[in-house]
Amino acid sequence: MRLTTFDNLDIAGGALHRWTVSTDSAPVPHPTGPSENERFHLDAVRDGGLGWLAITFDIDSATLDLARLRSAFAAVVNHHEVLRAHFAFDTAGSDSIRRFLHPAGSLSVSDVETVRDGDAGDNRAALSEAIVDGCSALTPGSHVLAAVEGPTTTTVICAFDHCYVDAHSLAVIAEDVLSGYEGEALRSAGSFLDHQAAAESARQSTGDGTLVDKWGEFLASTGWTVPEFPVDLGVAPGQFAPARIHVDTVLTAEQAHRFSALCASQSIRFYPALLAALAVATRDLGGPDRVPLVLPVHTRRSDLWSRSVGWFVANAPMVLDATGDIDAAMTAATAALSEALPLAEVDLTTVYGTFGSRMIKPRHDVFMVSYMDYRRFDRLAHHNVHHVSSDGRADTLQAWFWRDENGVHLRTRYPDTGTAATVVKGLVDDMIAVVTDRLATVGTRVPVTAR
């Protein structure tokens, strides 16, 4: 798995195949309204914004069967309930947003439209137009299927409005399309809409109470300022620059295995250990000893939702402590993560509603760092899979760690300025050095239970 953006994705020349999704069924209003993430996204859409996510993967051109690919994608978009939904703004001009749902089996995929012998530039332009025009939260079946057929490898592109999918969803979709293409039944998937209804009911019955107070404690500790990366990136508050993306490998597969063992031997969790290294590197750049940030965390907390598609992401605030050495920072980060995760139960609407009059938000973006382990997806390792996001602008740093069969990697997104390029390169290089230097002190000893 690789994380990239459309501008950084290699698009080959060759035959470009495209399909469209549609439905003739009548939509039925659904009682589950938009989640907080969906509502924020739809507010941006109302203001002219857009946001989509795509997954690409390769199949063997020698065995390419376009009819089977079409059938597999049709099965997937009908299998996952949220992909049969769409939204509509209230026609009376109020702020209300309604969700509509089409019945299972009602989405159909068109016959293939093929553009022969397109070069890489033509294919990129055609795909960009198809994704921007074809992915919308306001249109039924607004999903894109395309494929670029090369001499030996065909790259399949599946794109969706961000309302319907998160990073985990894209991996599920890739596996499901591959399963369907290979003639296998799709695995059972829980309903995102059921999950949202249950979460809303639980929130109403239990309230947020102490968790809201803890959000207040976090914000008070930051001077009521929403987290931004604490080192100057060359963009003044209120200004933006085009977003720049860079991907680095932090640990090879063998190093990641040994680092997991090191963490386990000290009762330290893997993800907060990486966060600790990031905090130490930030401090080394001249940043503070205590680094506030926000963690996007998925809400698939049981096996019921492991194959579900939807935007299952909440937000948890956290302060990383780099006042000591790396071992102290990793221990502190492990404890801080355990304390932070329950705070994801509080939606940001409640946070802003409770503390908004005191909060200061100097940037549009928020300094956030996420993590995902793709090794749980057993079909992805040999298909050159890419998670692709839309390009845009940036005014602070955001980072995504992920682990796959090749090791641990980091995608950074930051404003395209000379200052930011220098700072982020120094940050990542130092973070990698912090981890590998610590790893070097334990040699090659690895407990057999480490993974």
Side-chain angles (χ1 to χ4, degrees), residues 214-223 225 227 230 272 275-276 279 288-295 316-323 328-341 343 367:
K214 289 188 176 296
W215 265 96
E217 292 171 9
F218 166 79
L219 290 167
S221 74
T222 69
T225 300
L275 292 174
D289 290 336
R290 292 174 58 80
V291 182
L293 73 165
V294 171
L295 306 179
M318 182 176 175
V319 177
L320 297 172
D321 187 344
T323 55
M330 291 192 299
T331 299
T334 296
L337 180 64
S338 295
E339 294 176 1
L341 290 178
L343 275 63
F367 178 39

Side-chain angles (χ1 to χ4, degrees), residues 60-122:
D60 188 353
S61 291
T63 59
L64 176 64
D65 186 325
L66 297 178
R68 271 200 294 146
L69 182 58
R70 169 195 176 191
S71 177
F73 191 72
V76 170
V77 296
N78 280 289
H79 182 62
H80 295 287
E81 186 180 46
V82 73
L83 299 180
R84 292 185 276 107
H86 73 280
F87 291 97
F89 295 121
D90 189 285
T91 55
S94 71
D95 290 334
S96 65
I97 305 167
R98 301 190 71 183
R99 189 194 304 268
F100 292 85
L101 184 66
H102 292 262
S106 63
L107 298 189
S108 60
V109 179
S110 70
D111 291 333
V112 66
E113 172 193 347
T114 301
V115 180
R116 294 293 179 188
D117 299 323
D119 62 24
D122 290 340

Side-chain angles (χ1 to χ4, degrees), residues 218-242:
F218 166 79
L219 290 167
S221 74
T222 69
W224 299 98
T225 300
V226 176
E228 61 177 316
F229 185 65
V231 179
D232 178 38
L233 297 178
V235 177
Q239 301 298 311
F240 292 91

Side-chain angles (χ1 to χ4, degrees), residues 216-388:
E217 292 171 9
F218 166 79
L219 290 167
S221 74
T222 69
W224 299 98
T225 300
V226 176
E228 61 177 316
F229 185 65
V231 179
D232 178 38
L233 297 178
V235 177
Q239 301 298 311
F240 292 91
R244 184 174 182 180
I245 303 294
H246 197 68
V247 174
D248 298 90
T249 293
V250 178
L251 295 167
T252 66
E254 185 270 341
Q255 288 174 322
H257 182 69
R258 290 196 291 119
F259 192 65
S260 291
L262 170 65
C263 293
S265 71
Q266 300 184 35
S267 299
I268 292 167
R269 295 176 61 182
F270 190 81
Y271 175 31
L274 295 174
L275 292 174
L278 188 66
V280 169
T282 301
R283 180 199 66 196
D284 292 347
L285 275 174
D289 290 336
R290 292 174 58 80
V291 182
L293 73 165
V294 171
L295 306 179
V297 296
H298 78 75
T299 57
R300 296 174 176 86
R301 298 192 179 98
S302 76
D303 289 343
L304 175 63
W305 312 110
S306 65
R307 302 295 304 179
S308 299
V309 166
W311 200 342
F312 287 83
V313 177
N315 298 281
M318 182 176 175
V319 177
L320 297 172
D321 187 344
T323 55
D325 61 14
I326 182 58
D327 281 5
M330 291 192 299
T331 299
T334 296
L337 180 64
S338 295
E339 294 176 1
L341 290 178
L343 275 63
E345 299 291 339
V346 182
D347 59 61
L348 293 183
T349 300
T350 298
V351 174
Y352 279 100
T354 305
F355 305 113
S357 62
R358 285 176 281 181
M359 290 171 63
I360 302 166
K361 194 172 186 293
R363 305 285 177 179
H364 177 271
D365 296 331
V366 176
F367 178 39
M368 51 73 61
V369 184
S370 69
Y371 174 80
M372 186 165 174
D373 191 339
Y374 286 101
R375 294 175 303 160
R376 73 190 73 183
F377 298 102
D378 51 17
R379 284 188 172 271
L380 304 185
H382 305 294
H383 289 277
N384 190 31
V385 183
H386 287 72
H387 164 155
V388 188

Side-chain angles (χ1 to χ4, degrees), residues 117-131:
D117 299 323
D119 62 24
D122 290 340
N123 285 348
R124 177 179 292 278
L127 284 169
S128 177
E129 180 181 9
I131 291 171

